[in-house]
Amino acid sequence: MISVATAWRAVAAMFILNGALFGIWASRIPAVRDHLQLSHEDLGYGLLFMAAGAVCSFPVTGRLTDRFGAVAITRIIAVLYTFSLVLLGLADSFVALAAFLFVFGAFHGSMDVSMNAWGAEVEQTYDKPLMSSFHAMWSLGAGLGAVSGFIAVQFDLTTFQHFLVAGCMVVLLALAMSWVPWVSRRSALSQGSVFALPSGALILVGFTALCAALGEGAVADWSALFMRDVTGSTESVATLGYAVFSVAMVVCRLAGGVAIARFGPVASARFGGLCSALGVFLVVSSGNVPLALIGFTLMGVGYAVIMPLAFSRAANDPNVPPGQAIASVATLGYGGLLIGPPLIGFLAELLTLRMAFAVLLPLAVMIVVCAGALRRAD
């Protein structure tokens, strides 16, 4: 059996890739919106197609992961996911953007399920709390993707040039780092609906993940526009909103394993809910760049451990195979990550972008209320 460090590196590379491709896209949303002359509502509708693609892919990928193994499915989807990012750079109309976002969302969602299943295998094999550190690598990748957007703007690269160069570099490096002799477990497909939602104890697990993921998605796709339109920052500074959010998540997720071992998953989740609520309040009440950046940082701290805890709880469910359990939670959890942006867009059109972000406050409070669902099943 390979060492835990080697296994960790392989899975971490896939999480970095997934986060980086998402961050690359998120960092250039203002440029895409301006190029296609989209309103907040138009952009919200476009992002809804991304959410639809992901939600459709979750349960299907869960079944495929259980059947063929997480490693093989993750590597195949990594290449397809990168290709779908490049397609986004070719969108020359709202219709094309919506179609490409559906494909991008589908592969993003598929990889979320398969790589988390692979991460759960490594966590269980070595009996170490590693899921939080894997999600830290996703946040690191997302932050690097956001920084690449800052660099691309400085060099006046088009979105297509940016997506092609950055995407190819990241996927080649990630595949090289992940190429280890890991054999995934496989299990027979269970009976029932392919598109089953969480059931039993997993319902609250999925809902808690949903509350956090809605916030993550909102920050990913709207923080740059919030910084530019609400605080009046420049386009290059506007990209830093998601960057500081991602850095905070990286740091807290790296420390998450220690915190969870010391205080337990329930207390850790409640602390996260309180931090994210405070962060949302600062963002919504801010009228300047520094205060908004502090708020986005606190949101990163608060949301950091919620998704890792949810996926660890799902993977250890005694009644459902890991792939299907993770997929069912992802349907709500990562569905929220992708449904959050269009929801913010619709509310921004009806109200204001500042008031649209306020909807994240009661959701953060619900994380505190539902934290008990993340207690690991024995």
Side-chain angles (χ1 to χ4, degrees):
M1 184 170 64
I2 62 176
S3 68
V4 61
T6 300
W8 183 91
R9 184 198 70 206
V11 179
M14 292 291 98
F15 273 80
I16 291 173
L17 169 65
N18 188 281
L21 297 183
F22 188 78
I24 290 168
W25 152 249
S27 71
R28 300 306 299 274
I29 287 176
V32 172
R33 187 195 70 168
D34 293 347
H35 174 66
L36 298 180
Q37 298 181 331
L38 303 176
S39 66
H40 287 329
E41 185 177 17
D42 291 334
L43 182 57
Y45 279 119
L47 295 174
L48 189 60
F49 279 88
M50 182 176 173
V55 170
C56 288
S57 73
F58 290 143
V60 176
T61 307
R63 295 298 183 97
L64 292 175
T65 297
D66 285 332
R67 177 66 179 85
F68 298 104
V71 173
I73 297 299
T74 300
R75 288 171 177 162
I76 292 171
I77 294 174
V79 176
L80 297 175
Y81 183 30
T82 305
F83 177 72
S84 70
L85 171 70
V86 178
L87 283 179
L88 289 175
L90 297 174
D92 57 359
S93 67
F94 171 79
V95 173
L97 178 66
F100 294 157
L101 280 173
F102 182 89
V103 177
F104 183 73
F107 289 128
H108 172 76
S110 294
M111 192 172 177
D112 278 329
V113 172
S114 62
M115 72 183 186
N116 273 288
W118 188 0
E121 290 179 4
V122 174
E123 187 177 56
Q124 293 165 7
T125 298
Y126 297 98
D127 194 24
K128 295 179 179 292
L130 300 173
M131 191 64 82
S132 182
S133 66
F134 291 142
H135 283 252
M137 294 301 99
W138 189 96
S139 298
L140 174 62
L144 292 174
V147 170
S148 78
F150 177 84
I151 295 172
V153 170
Q154 303 307 307
F155 284 90
D156 199 28
L157 296 181
T158 66
T159 54
F160 174 73
Q161 292 170 335
H162 176 204
F163 293 172
L164 178 63
V165 174
C168 288
M169 289 176 59
V170 173
V171 73
L172 291 175
L173 182 61
L175 287 175
M177 292 178 62
S178 70
W179 214 262
V180 298
W182 184 273
V183 179
S184 286
R185 294 188 295 271
R186 303 183 183 186
S187 60
L189 300 182
S190 63
Q191 301 299 315
S193 172
V194 172
F195 290 93
L197 290 170
S199 60
L202 292 180
I203 294 176
L204 279 181
V205 176
F207 177 73
T208 306
L210 170 67
C211 293
L214 279 166
E216 287 191 53
V219 175
D221 284 4
W222 288 100
S223 60
L225 289 173
F226 187 96
M227 292 289 294
R228 195 180 70 176
D229 296 351
V230 177
T231 69
S233 70
T234 63
E235 182 179 357
S236 58
V237 172
T239 64
L240 299 180
Y242 188 51
V244 299
F245 173 85
S246 298
V247 169
M249 293 196 80
V250 170
V251 174
C252 292
R253 282 176 168 173
L254 286 174
V258 176
I260 293 167
R262 174 69 184 277
F263 302 106
V266 176
S268 300
R270 285 177 179 154
F271 176 77
L274 290 172
C275 280
S276 57
L278 177 58
V280 173
F281 176 78
L282 290 178
V283 168
V284 171
S285 62
S286 68
N288 57 73
V289 171
L291 193 59
L293 290 178
I294 292 173
F296 285 127
T297 300
L298 283 173
M299 291 174 72
V301 173
Y303 294 137
V305 299
I306 307 303
M307 293 299 288
L309 286 173
F311 282 118
S312 287
R313 169 62 182 83
N316 286 279
D317 191 86
N319 302 313
V320 185
Q324 293 177 50
I326 289 173
S328 68
V329 169
T331 300
L332 292 182
Y334 274 118
L337 183 67
L338 298 167
I339 291 172
L343 174 64
I344 295 296
F346 299 146
L347 292 176
E349 195 72 20
L350 291 173
L351 306 169
T352 64
L353 187 55
R354 185 195 298 271
M355 292 305 298
F357 262 78
V359 75
L360 302 178
L361 185 55
L363 293 174
V365 174
M366 289 307 299
I367 294 175
V368 179
V369 175
C370 300
L374 300 181
R375 183 177 288 106
R376 184 167 177 171
D378 296 322

